[in-house]
Amino acid sequence: MGTSEKYIEREAEKYGLARHPDKCNEKLRRSKGREFCLNCFTNDLKEAIETNFRTLQLRYGLNNVEIETTIEELLKRNQIKGFLDSKKQIFIFLTTEMEARLVSDLQSQGFVDLDQLQQNMSASTATTTRIMIELIRKNKLRGTFNHKKTRYYLEQGLTQLILQEIKTHGKVVHYDLAQKFEIPEGNVKNYIMNMMRNKIIVAFFADGGKITLSEQELESEIENFCLKNGIFMINALATHLQIAPELARRALFKLIQKGTIRGIFTQNHEFLTEEKLSEKIKAIARAYRTISIGDLAKKLAITEQRVEEGLATLISRGSINGYIDMAKRQFVADGKQPVTSFSSHAPHTSTNASATPQMPSKIGEVEVVRQYDFVGGQLHFKVVVRNKSNMAIHDIKVILDVPSSYRRARELITIPVIDPGNTHGVDFYLEPAECGISTIGGTVIYKDAMGKINTMNVNPKDVQIKCPLLIKSLDTIEDCQKAIQSLPSDARAFLIADLPPQMAYSAAHRAVGQFDVTNVASYEDDKSGNYEAEAWFSSEAKVTGGRVITRIYINGSSSTLEIRVWCNEAGQLTGLLAKMIELLFVEINMMRKIKSEERNKTMDVMAITRNLMEISNICLLRYRASSAKIKLEDTYSRLTRITSDDDQSVAKIYEWVKKLEEDVYEDEEAMLSDEDADSLDIDIQSIQQALHAQLSV
């Protein structure tokens, strides 16, 4: 059988159809043999969604091979749209418009019912399924069929359906969702994990990963549990909710921070609502009347600081009557205690003034002012209470409201008494964990001479922690040593017992290296068995100017890491150190994830990266050749352990080691010549590119 254009033209001419090649009036179909009209053949294929080979055999007298060859040629010429199923010996007709409409419907509603599609297209089940599979393959759709293959879910559509279920019910069982959507239970969990990972929803797994709880549902269940029990073990809450104890603790702590629930954690892994805490203190007050803060802390299984804070809060709200004698470190309870209970949950706003609990009133004869400055890399926040009345005030509690972006040793400071006309200030030292603008406020609670409780707000203060923009400077180690003599500095030290000191050094080096700084000097010593390392970095503040110098020091024997920064502007010093520490913890956490068997290679790769960067800086500064030689020798030693000896990078480094041993560089103080410095820098750049491709350095 011939299907070329010349063959068709000859046949058309033979039967007198040359003038009208599109109409043969079925003359060729009636002819015996394999001659046929290609237009009639094409029209037959377009008349139905599916056409089997048997029908074409009967009409045109062709065998299966000839039919398949003809259809493939028509598809190739774009004379017909669709696809061929050689195995089932059918042709499925599907135009571009039909395909686009199906894809559009699928994307708009998120799924497609194959039974409905079968009815609309008047096709068999197998053909409908094959069309769907072809659309998935051609348009690279991501999704899944249900168990019976009667519905196809687009990934985005199924995600939205599951998301809607979680938002509607709050708590969903994965098995129930799997039954509803007729998909594997594991797929349900995977879709929910993707939503959590992409922050589409905040939710948590329960019952060993078989249940999903939305954040709102989890908080609601915890609130109800607190309201019902009042005092409970954290493990009991976790068991009730079928979640991990740590998740239960974190979720409860978040509700406390939000003010939704009021209470405290004890050292016995219990939680007490404020109502239960008040009841316990009242019971102790009735029995003892006077009790030391230490004994009260032991009875309640909480710290003395938490006892002070809790008592101050309860006294200010009128939940208990008494005062704290700070001179004797005692709580002195009044003989009569309030009997009215209060809610451990945040109060709701009410327009009925008589229904709200009586709150302490603010008077104008006591003034509270505040200010801050930067001292030693910390934020110094000072609150001053001025007693302008003609009578003393006592039991003054200064409670600071500090954002989570600050680490602090205490939030409550007590002042026993302030005499008339006197002033008393308290100092809070806060360590910023990140840069930015935050608001710090607080509350002052005190008793006047008549024993009446009063509260005053510490007006909120916006505090800006600056992270300076840095640029590299062309300083040598001698320049840095001289500059730090006149620059203020601050440092942070950490214990690194759970991490090899070499990896901690790499983490600190990578953290500081994320700024635009120049590594002017570094050394590592492990010969005596006690690892010790140090690195110096120089830079300048881009906007304000002035040197910014950073030093990393690791002591393996004491397992300590110190980062020290010298800077002439206190605000920038505080912000820069905070940002470096933030990046350091990110790098340390990444180091902890490295498998033990891969640590040696990882440390070698990181050391090579540091060495190459420092050699490049030495070339830029035209610094000592001996310093470059030491780094080249260390790089050569490490590189031979992770690559072959005949590697081009290894050979090039070895050549430079030998070159720097020549007579011209015999003196240890000899500086690199301009020619050698430029040549070495070019080679270092090419070695870095080669290692990046080879080792992903």
Side-chain angles (χ1 to χ4, degrees), residues 372-389:
Y372 75 92
D373 60 359
F374 298 103
V375 177
Q378 292 183 313
L379 173 67
H380 172 217
F381 197 92
K382 189 175 187 70
V383 179
V384 176
V385 182
R386 297 171 178 168
N387 182 10
K388 296 183 177 181
S389 67

Side-chain angles (χ1 to χ4, degrees), residues 171-174 185 189 204-213 238-244 247:
K171 180 178 181 180
V172 295
V173 180
H174 297 172
E185 186 176 346
K189 185 175 181 180
F204 309 94
F205 289 130
D207 193 16
K210 298 177 182 178
I211 296 174
T212 294
L213 286 166
T239 302
H240 174 73
L241 298 176
Q242 297 179 299
I243 59 176
L247 174 58

Side-chain angles (χ1 to χ4, degrees), residues 465-483:
I465 303 298
K466 300 178 181 179
C467 282
L469 295 175
L470 303 181
I471 56 174
K472 291 181 179 179
S473 63
L474 299 179
D475 290 328
T476 63
I477 184 62
E478 289 81 5
D479 297 329
C480 294
Q481 295 286 354
K482 183 178 179 181

Side-chain angles (χ1 to χ4, degrees), residues 230-235 249 252-253 256 262-274 276-278 280-281 284 296-307:
I231 177 172
F232 52 86
M233 299 290 291
I234 299 299
N235 285 339
R249 187 196 66 79
L252 183 55
F253 182 71
I256 295 172
R262 298 193 185 111
I264 60 171
F265 292 96
T266 73
Q267 295 172 334
N268 296 331
H269 305 290
E270 288 181 318
F271 178 78
L272 284 81
T273 62
E274 269 196 0
K276 288 293 181 183
L277 177 62
S278 176
K280 279 198 168 190
I281 294 177
I284 294 171
L296 187 56
K298 291 178 182 178
K299 290 181 179 294
L300 297 175
I302 58 178
T303 63
E304 292 186 18
Q305 182 181 342
R306 293 292 293 160
V307 168

